[in-house]
Amino acid sequence: MRILLTGANGYVGRRLLPELLSQGHEVICCVRDKNRLGLDKATLEKVILWEVDFLHPIHLENLPEKIDVAYYLIHSMTSSTSDFDVMEGQSAHNFNLYMNEIGVKQVIYLSGIVNNSELSKHLQSRKNVEDILFEGNFNTTVLRAGIIVGSGSSSFEIIRDLCEKLPVMVTPKWVLTKCQPIAIRDVIHYLTGVLLKEEHYNKSYDIGGPNVITYKEMMLLYSKTRGIKLWIFTLPVMSPKLSSYWLYFVTSTSYKLAVNLVDSMKMEVVCQNNDLQKALGIKPITYVDAIKLAFLKIEQNLVISSWKDSLVSSRFKENFSEFIQIPTYGCLKDHKMSTVTNIEKTLDNIWSIGGDKGWYYGNWMWKIRGFLDKLFGGVGLRRGRTHPTHLDNGDALDFWRVLVANKEEKRLLLYAEMRLPGEAWLEFRIDNDNKLHQIATFRPKGLLGRLYWYSLVPFHFFIFGGMIKNITK
């Protein structure tokens, strides 16, 4: 079967791809920027890439042919707090035009549960996208999910952050809202189970796990499963703005995502009965078992994807590739160089930088910078990294984004996503003379940018000097 996979860089897309390949399907990965598709060489050889942005005007040249099924896994909830619904509608309209031209047989859309009479802006946007897709000249199957639980999912990571960091919580009353969480592996089973099944054409189904629980119960069950003591005191107020700031500062989520999540948490997301689970023979995993499976993956360093690695957690608004070429004009640099005696060990050190490992020197200063970044609306350090020793192009790395991770060329290039009066790159490169070049490049914006750089020169002397020394030790 020939399948088009949109959102191939996203959390669900990265989980779905290996399952489709293992079933013998031919997969076309639909991405906005092929340079950041973090797949190993063996997987890249098995897939076809189609570079397209559904928010841009359509171009009907060089379209993929003979597509049987297309997965629609696109959303813009973290791109904006105001007009993401307009962006999602435009994206769906353009997708329809492409699919009508290609002549796809079936489109499968992963949506949200929309059973309330009044919907949040996020869920109303998901419903609008459903309506748009149903207008296409193809058969549409919609799967509506609520909270998705799995290693690296935004919901799981937020609950994990809250419970691990706050033994005592004073929470707004939205934590008493009911939901029906579903394990990521069950989501994948549903997504693959309805492939070209005519009995599921032009229908919408709610999908969820066996437990209907409140957000408070979710946190308490998480803590019990992890052996953590947790006390939650609920206030009789909703306070969406205060709740958004609470999530933003305590967890690794972005402020835009926090605002949209809190807006949706006022709505119950509980499944309506349908026969899909029985028709596909799926026995859903309990919420507690989903937590245990998630940590099994984490402990074995087998986390395939994380929401933090997708561009939804990024500050990128332009094309990812535009930042790979480091500018030279009008830039300020800190260039350190050191002879490498053990190339393999040095590369391993470079590829392990950030996250729990830290930055090899002055970690307390990096943490202060991360805290200040959060105060000014940045991403901070809490995103960490998905894998302790492996990096792919496009991965999130604390408040950096990986632009190039090429061990064969002995080069790692990072782009800063913290709040700055300019743009910054950090490069590690080992040359043919076995010398490590550690280059921090800053392109300031105006006088403020230059003042910022020169005010940090004394700190750079110690931080960057200590960093390269410890990396090559």
Side-chain angles (χ1 to χ4, degrees), residues 134 154 166 326 399 410 422-423 467 471:
F134 275 119
S154 58
L166 297 176
I326 304 174
F399 45 40
K410 305 169 190 171
E423 296 172 306
M467 183 190 298
I471 287 175

Side-chain angles (χ1 to χ4, degrees), residues 6 54 70-74 88 91-92 95 107-110 129 133:
T6 69
F54 291 110
Y71 283 98
Y72 193 77
L73 304 177
I74 299 172
E88 290 189 337
S91 178
F95 174 82
V107 167
I108 301 172
Y109 171 45
L110 182 60
V129 170
L133 294 178

Side-chain angles (χ1 to χ4, degrees), residues 63-328:
L63 293 180
E65 299 177 348
K66 299 178 181 178
I67 302 295
D68 296 302
V69 178
Y71 283 98
Y72 193 77
L73 304 177
I74 299 172
H75 69 82
S76 305
M77 188 173 71
T78 52
S79 301
S80 168
T81 58
S82 57
D83 61 351
F84 70 88
D85 54 335
V86 176
M87 297 167 65
E88 290 189 337
Q90 183 62 48
S91 178
H93 276 296
N94 287 340
F95 174 82
N96 274 10
L97 293 174
Y98 278 115
M99 295 306 104
N100 290 342
E101 186 70 22
I102 292 171
V104 66
K105 298 175 184 176
Q106 182 191 25
V107 167
I108 301 172
Y109 171 45
L110 182 60
S111 182
I113 294 177
V114 289
N115 295 328
N116 284 39
S117 56
E118 293 185 11
L119 298 173
S120 66
K121 188 174 182 178
H122 157 227
L123 292 176
Q124 183 60 59
S125 180
R126 294 295 174 92
K127 182 64 172 64
N128 290 341
V129 170
E130 287 185 26
D131 295 339
I132 292 168
L133 294 178
F134 275 119
E135 294 172 358
N137 298 328
F138 44 75
N139 299 295
T140 302
T141 304
V142 177
L143 301 176
R144 298 168 171 170
I147 300 294
I148 296 177
V149 182
S151 55
S153 75
S154 58
S155 304
F156 173 80
E157 294 298 340
I158 288 171
I159 291 171
R160 181 184 180 188
D161 279 345
L162 290 173
C163 297
E164 302 276 356
K165 296 173 182 175
L166 297 176
V168 179
M169 295 187 209
V170 180
T171 62
K173 69 177 183 180
W174 57 254
V175 299
L176 302 179
T177 305
K178 291 182 179 179
C179 61
Q180 193 166 350
I182 181 172
I184 180 62
R185 65 171 56 191
D186 286 336
V187 173
I188 300 303
H189 289 160
Y190 279 111
L191 286 169
T192 56
V194 296
L195 273 171
L196 284 188
K197 299 285 181 64
E198 293 186 11
E199 61 269 30
H200 304 309
Y201 284 177
N202 304 314
K203 293 181 180 179
S204 299
Y205 300 95
D206 293 347
I207 59 174
N211 306 113
V212 177
I213 52 181
T214 65
Y215 292 107
K216 179 178 180 179
E217 289 171 328
M218 285 182 70
M219 291 187 284
L220 290 172
L221 282 170
Y222 174 94
S223 299
K224 183 179 180 181
T225 304
R226 295 289 294 155
I228 301 170
K229 293 291 185 181
L230 178 64
W231 290 268
I232 300 177
F233 302 94
T234 306
L235 298 176
V237 294
M238 187 62 72
S239 184
K241 193 163 188 178
L242 211 58
S243 298
S244 300
Y245 281 121
W246 178 57
L247 285 182
Y248 171 63
F249 280 108
V250 175
T251 74
S252 56
T253 186
S254 67
Y255 179 69
K256 292 174 183 177
L257 179 57
V259 169
N260 293 323
L261 283 175
V262 169
D263 185 41
S264 293
M265 284 173 176
K266 298 178 291 184
M267 311 292 167
E268 286 194 355
V269 282
V270 178
C271 298
Q272 290 183 345
N273 291 330
N274 61 68
D275 60 355
L276 185 61
Q277 177 185 324
K278 183 178 179 181
L280 299 182
I282 294 174
K283 185 178 180 180
I285 299 168
T286 67
Y287 172 64
V288 169
D289 285 341
I291 293 172
K292 292 177 180 178
L293 287 170
F295 272 98
L296 186 62
K297 294 287 186 183
I298 293 169
E299 290 162 1
Q300 296 177 346
N301 291 326
L302 295 175
V303 180
I304 298 174
S305 64
S306 171
W307 75 275
K308 293 176 284 190
D309 290 332
S310 95
L311 291 187
V312 300
S313 75
S314 171
R315 288 182 57 208
F316 276 105
K317 297 190 188 313
E318 298 88 357
N319 193 310
F320 178 85
S321 303
E322 293 177 8
F323 297 89
I324 292 178
Q325 187 63 43
I326 304 174
T328 55

Side-chain angles (χ1 to χ4, degrees), residues 450-470:
R450 291 185 175 275
L451 290 173
Y452 171 83
W453 174 266
Y454 287 118
S455 68
L456 291 176
V457 166
F459 297 97
H460 288 169
F461 177 80
F462 292 103
I463 292 173
F464 291 140
M467 183 190 298
I468 193 170
K469 180 180 177 181
N470 290 327

Side-chain angles (χ1 to χ4, degrees), residues 374-392:
K374 273 280 189 180
L375 283 180
F376 286 92
V379 296
L381 288 179
R382 287 202 179 99
R383 290 189 309 183
R385 49 183 294 159
T386 299
H387 193 281
T389 60
H390 180 78
L391 291 172
D392 282 316

